Amino acid sequence: MTTGTAEFAKRLDQTAEDTEALMAKLLSDAVVADEIVRPKRLIGAMRYSSLGGGKRLRPFLVVESAAVFGVPREAALLAGAALECIHCYSLIHDDLPAMDNSDLRRGRPTLHRAYDDATAILAGDALLTIAFDVITRDEIHRDADVRLLLTRALARASGVGGMAGGQILDLAGEGRFGDREPVDVARLQQMKTGALLRFGCIAGAILGQSTQRQYRALDDYGRALGEAFQIADDLLDVEGDAAALGKQTGQDAALGKTTFVTQLGIEGARQRVRDLLARADSALSIFGAKGDVLRAAARFVAERSN
């Protein structure tokens, strides 16, 4: 393990630990102003799907992209926790019988299996909603305009032109609504998976009130990283080990999904990942050594085994 890789691993683990503690606090039984009560079953379901697992890559991207500009870590962690709430909600809903119908997530029964469909739907809804409570908090930035830009960016990454829109395009490609619809895999990826990862990168630029050039660099890096993440995911679904992944493999083929692997082949997909890593590295060049941890993050995404 190189020094750079070791530093990356240490910082990823620390962010995961800090995010876990923060989310446990945000998802506690204690009500906040203007809430009436937090129903025990609902908050328990939210905690089941949000705590005790995951690499916390998305909050890590927020923290490290913000660190480039010297943004206080506490503020970046709070923004990262909001993003992670969106991600966890999306996993709950993706696993539902009406969507991917998955039984395992992170090596445990999916939420609708551990509880029931109705509780899972509402837990996802509540995580989506609390994300926007968190992202607008004064502690994130003293400037309300910065908080507004951050909130708008998160909404657009999550919604009809981002993750949710990408999910319905994916379902249409499976033929869920009639005949299979043609799939533009690159665009689908940019929306379903890439939009939240990209937000993790541009969030640091927004919090740091970056220049346009710096924003564009992190935007390009985020897009490259997001695509590399999805290709790695497609490869793992074909070649990965279910025990290591903590979820079923071979689901893409079972559902007849069009993926980067089905379009490019395994070797073509691997070459595309190498090209994306070069693009990510080039995008970060303006930050010099300050971009080293983000460079390591791109390699981690491309080479991960789970």
Side-chain angles (χ1 to χ4, degrees):
M1 183 180 289
T2 66
T3 302
T5 304
E7 179 63 16
F8 161 77
K10 176 182 174 184
R11 290 169 77 150
L12 181 66
D13 288 347
Q14 186 61 59
T15 296
E17 183 180 324
D18 293 343
T19 299
E20 179 84 6
L22 179 54
M23 290 186 68
K25 182 178 178 182
L26 292 169
L27 300 177
S28 73
D29 294 327
V31 299
V32 298
D34 298 321
E35 290 183 344
I36 299 168
V37 67
R38 291 187 164 191
K40 186 175 245 183
R41 183 175 183 84
L42 182 59
I43 205 73
M46 293 165 74
R47 290 172 66 89
Y48 178 89
S49 291
S50 304
L51 303 179
K55 294 176 282 292
R56 310 299 189 189
L57 175 64
R58 290 155 190 81
F60 175 81
L61 292 172
V62 177
V63 169
E64 293 301 334
S65 63
V68 171
F69 304 99
V71 173
R73 181 177 173 83
E74 294 75 15
L77 280 168
L78 201 55
L83 174 57
E84 190 70 358
C85 285
I86 297 277
H87 175 56
C88 292
Y89 123 72
S90 76
L91 299 182
I92 293 171
H93 282 193
D94 279 357
D95 288 337
L96 287 166
M99 303 280 267
D100 289 346
N101 195 24
S102 299
D103 295 327
L104 286 176
R105 172 70 65 181
R106 294 172 181 164
R108 300 192 301 172
T110 48
L111 183 59
H112 68 279
R113 295 297 185 200
Y115 284 72
D116 57 83
D117 290 5
T119 302
I121 291 168
L122 289 169
D125 292 344
L127 282 166
L128 169 61
T129 307
I130 203 169
F132 289 97
D133 174 327
V134 174
I135 202 72
T136 56
R137 293 189 181 184
D138 293 350
E139 303 97 300
I140 284 184
H141 202 283
R142 65 180 180 277
D143 189 335
D145 286 341
V146 171
R147 299 198 304 274
L148 172 63
L149 289 172
L150 200 62
T151 303
R152 182 184 298 159
L154 182 58
R156 290 182 178 175
S158 308
V160 64
M163 183 189 67
Q167 179 65 45
I168 202 163
L169 291 178
D170 196 22
L171 293 173
E174 294 174 17
R176 295 289 191 94
F177 315 118
D179 293 338
R180 289 180 186 272
E181 297 183 19
V183 173
D184 180 334
V185 175
R187 182 165 62 181
L188 170 62
Q189 173 279 320
Q190 287 172 1
M191 295 170 68
K192 183 181 176 183
T193 307
L196 291 188
L197 290 165
R198 171 181 171 264
F199 173 82
C201 302
I202 63 170
I206 295 171
L207 285 167
Q209 297 177 285
S210 71
T211 66
Q212 280 298 311
R213 181 167 176 252
Q214 290 168 328
Y215 179 95
R216 285 194 298 270
L218 283 171
D219 187 6
D220 192 38
Y221 165 79
R223 290 174 189 273
L225 179 139
E227 187 173 331
F229 182 97
Q230 185 60 56
I231 295 174
D233 213 45
D234 291 349
L235 286 165
L236 285 170
D237 192 69
V238 174
E239 303 176 313
D241 174 69
L245 290 170
K247 62 180 182 179
Q248 294 99 328
T249 57
Q251 284 199 302
D252 290 344
L255 293 169
K257 288 179 182 282
T258 302
T259 69
F260 281 104
V261 172
T262 63
Q263 285 203 339
L264 301 175
I266 289 177
E267 289 308 315
R270 287 174 178 158
Q271 181 57 53
R272 178 64 179 159
V273 169
R274 289 191 286 270
D275 294 342
L276 289 164
L277 285 177
R279 175 179 158 192
D281 186 65
S282 176
L284 294 172
S285 62
I286 69 167
F287 300 115
K290 288 183 178 180
D292 284 350
V293 175
L294 291 173
R295 287 187 186 90
R299 291 193 298 274
F300 167 79
V301 159
E303 297 166 2
R304 75 190 198 281
S305 59
N306 57 32

